[in-house]
Amino acid sequence: MIILVINAGSSSVKFTIFDMADQKKVLASGLIERIGIEGTSMKYTNFRGEEVKGEVPVKNPKDAVKIITERLLDARVGVLKSMSDIKAIGHRVVQGMEKIIEPVLLDEKAKTIVRECGVLAPLHNPHNLMGIEACEAVLPGVPNVGVFDTAFHSTMPSRAFLYALPYKYYEEDHIRRYGFHGTSHGFVAKAAAALDGRPLNSLKIITAHLGNGCSLAAVKNGQCQDTSMGLTPLEGVIMGTRSGDLDASAVLYIMKKDGLTPDQADNLLNKKSGVLGLASIGSSDLRDVEAEANKGNKLCAQALEVFAYRVKKYIGSYMAALGGLDILVFTAGVGENSSTMRAAICQDLEGIGLKLDAQKNSVRSPEPRVVSTGDSPIKIHVIPTNEELAIAEATLKLVG
Ligand code: ADP
């Protein structure tokens, strides 16, 4: 069964097409970016390694889906014989609140909920919805399935998801921790159990998704117990450009002092803070910051230290929340690739059962692997995440 996965954002549409019957093979993938801005371009790669790059006349998500299907059917670089080969479309949707807690068929009722949930994700849900409606228009009759970033975290108990605000803000305004990256946390937790050879429902796992956006999740018996992102992706550990946790009074102080509007404060915390803000070299990419730190830049070295320390504190607190730990999993851009950051996070954790093997940790590989010592009481894994495949699998399960 051939499944198209769509991730529609504010100015981009990413796509991957899988042949689930042929070992879940990726037939083609790519993205269209700068939609609605000058210089809209497309990148397309197929399984034969053929690549097409260049400007495309795309003004909205519907044009984008149309161009994607044209490439998929192209005589030269295409991978499909007919549009009817596409049996279902899986969509990444960011916020499902408490209303959608598992993958759903996106009928009118579900789409109304996606629209309503946009109140808490105004930068994401409306764009996700446009992607869904674009697919309905270009591929009529093909089922659309929504896979929600928040869904995996829906098993969190209230002690983990409530904020200590007047209760009416939860009851009336639905202000609570929702968590994000759920598709990734769920995928790597399952893969870690498989790598370990023990059933997921017998394990205590902490998943550390460290990419541009970063979050951790505490997973017991396959169910999320807590996660570091909150009402929005701003809370938790330090990220490329997001501050993560801080005293809310600091924000109020800065807003008053600099006369910032709520939108300006939002921009400061989400786009100008985190590693970008602390390292002060104009880059949020950990590779650049690591390179500068190695050359002796003290602010960069300090930024890396603050980043690692915050993750370490979350690991400790989630071990307490879970009442122990079997596996710590690193995933996403930083977690999968930066052996230095993994080492910094795991430094001095031998006393609580986490022994990183320096040699295994230094090996680069695209495969899931164990990087703890043979005698480490708690295993440490590096598991490449694959949110697109997780969405395709969930879609197949629902429509297959
Ligand atoms: P996103 O959250 O956008 O999906 P990714 O998971 O792809 O991001 O992570 C991107 C980040 O991963 C980059 O900004 C970079 O900081 C980091 N990264 C990628 N490769 C390396 C590496 N070899 N060493 C350190 N950091 C890396």
Side-chain angles (χ1 to χ4, degrees):
M1 183 187 256
I2 291 183
I3 290 178
L4 175 64
V5 173
I6 293 284
N7 182 351
S10 58
S11 65
S12 71
V13 174
K14 296 183 188 143
F15 66 93
T16 309
I17 185 152
F18 292 89
D19 185 348
M20 301 305 279
D22 183 6
Q23 297 177 7
K24 303 174 184 174
K25 176 169 152 183
V26 174
L27 298 176
S29 65
L31 84 165
I32 298 178
E33 47 191 350
R34 298 181 64 82
I35 298 173
I37 316 170
E38 217 179 302
T40 311
S41 65
M42 178 176 195
K43 194 175 161 209
Y44 170 99
T45 315
N46 67 21
F47 70 96
R48 297 184 290 272
E50 292 154 345
E51 209 176 83
V52 188
K53 270 189 203 165
E55 289 208 11
V56 280
V58 168
K59 290 203 169 51
N60 52 49
K62 191 173 160 194
D63 294 346
V65 174
K66 225 185 240 166
I67 290 258
I68 292 167
T69 52
E70 276 170 26
R71 289 289 180 281
L72 294 172
L73 290 166
D74 186 83
R76 197 171 57 84
V77 296
V79 292
L80 302 178
K81 287 198 184 71
S82 144
M83 201 102 112
S84 62
D85 289 345
I86 301 173
K87 297 295 181 226
I89 306 160
H91 294 264
R92 178 194 178 208
V93 185
V94 168
Q95 179 58 273
M97 295 175 65
E98 290 173 354
K99 299 171 182 185
I100 300 184
I101 57 168
E102 50 192 20
V104 287
L105 210 54
L106 291 160
D107 54 15
E108 288 308 317
K109 193 169 151 225
K111 283 195 295 173
T112 302
I113 298 175
V114 171
R115 200 170 291 117
E116 286 167 6
C117 293
V119 67
L120 292 183
L123 300 179
H124 294 100
N125 276 34
H127 300 289
N128 302 154
L129 198 58
M130 279 194 244
I132 295 159
E133 285 170 346
C135 288
E136 286 175 340
V138 178
L139 294 155
V142 181
N144 288 286
V145 171
V147 180
F148 291 72
D149 270 21
T150 47
F152 179 69
H153 304 301
S154 65
T155 48
M156 270 190 289
S158 57
R159 62 174 181 268
F161 73 64
L162 279 178
Y163 293 126
L165 292 167
Y167 197 62
K168 74 175 183 101
Y169 288 108
Y170 169 60
E171 280 193 311
E172 293 169 20
D173 300 312
H174 314 287
I175 306 292
R176 51 158 281 183
R177 176 184 311 288
Y178 289 99
F180 299 89
H181 291 144
T183 309
S184 173
H185 287 293
F187 180 85
V188 298
K190 201 167 140 197
L195 180 65
D196 198 56
R198 282 185 280 177
L200 183 60
N201 63 12
S202 71
L203 292 169
K204 292 169 179 164
I205 301 176
I206 295 175
T207 47
H209 177 114
L210 308 176
N212 266 323
C214 302
S215 67
L216 280 86
V219 184
K220 189 175 180 180
N221 303 335
Q223 301 214 313
C224 180
Q225 300 297 310
D226 203 349
T227 191
S228 59
M229 283 179 166
L231 174 74
T232 74
L234 183 59
E235 196 182 349
V237 293
I238 290 161
M239 315 181 203
T241 62
R242 295 190 189 115
S243 64
D245 299 337
L246 49 74
D247 184 341
S249 296
V251 183
L252 302 176
Y253 178 85
I254 294 170
M255 285 179 77
K256 279 187 203 153
K257 183 181 145 285
D258 290 350
L260 301 187
T261 63
D263 281 348
Q264 287 169 326
D266 186 88
N267 189 51
L268 173 76
L269 297 168
N270 278 292
K271 304 262 172 67
K272 301 269 186 326
S273 299
V275 172
L276 176 74
L278 280 176
S280 311
I281 56 163
S283 172
S284 61
D285 193 312
L286 221 72
R287 284 165 290 203
D288 299 335
V289 180
E290 285 179 351
E292 286 303 308
N294 288 338
K295 285 190 226 156
N297 183 316
K298 292 210 165 49
L299 283 185
C300 287
Q302 182 172 262
L304 297 172
E305 221 181 305
V306 178
F307 182 102
Y309 180 69
R310 182 75 58 86
V311 176
K312 195 192 281 259
K313 278 211 297 192
Y314 265 92
I315 292 170
S317 66
Y318 285 175
M319 282 176 72
L322 291 170
L325 183 63
D326 296 303
I327 309 171
L328 168 65
V329 184
F330 286 105
T331 192
V334 175
E336 290 167 30
N337 297 303
S338 177
S339 53
T340 1
M341 184 47 74
R342 289 194 300 264
I345 292 166
C346 294
Q347 196 182 351
D348 299 327
L349 295 187
E350 295 85 358
I352 56 168
L354 287 146
K355 295 188 190 174
L356 190 73
D357 184 313
Q359 199 277 325
K360 288 185 202 161
N361 184 47
S362 67
V363 176
R364 286 184 68 95
S365 159
E367 296 300 319
R369 57 202 186 274
V370 180
V371 293
S372 45
T373 60
D375 67 346
S376 179
I378 300 166
K379 304 271 179 60
I380 308 171
H381 289 181
V382 176
I383 310 262
T385 192
N386 193 337
E387 286 160 288
E388 291 75 21
L389 177 59
I391 293 173
E393 284 173 341
T395 303
L396 177 67
K397 201 168 157 197
L398 204 75
V399 302

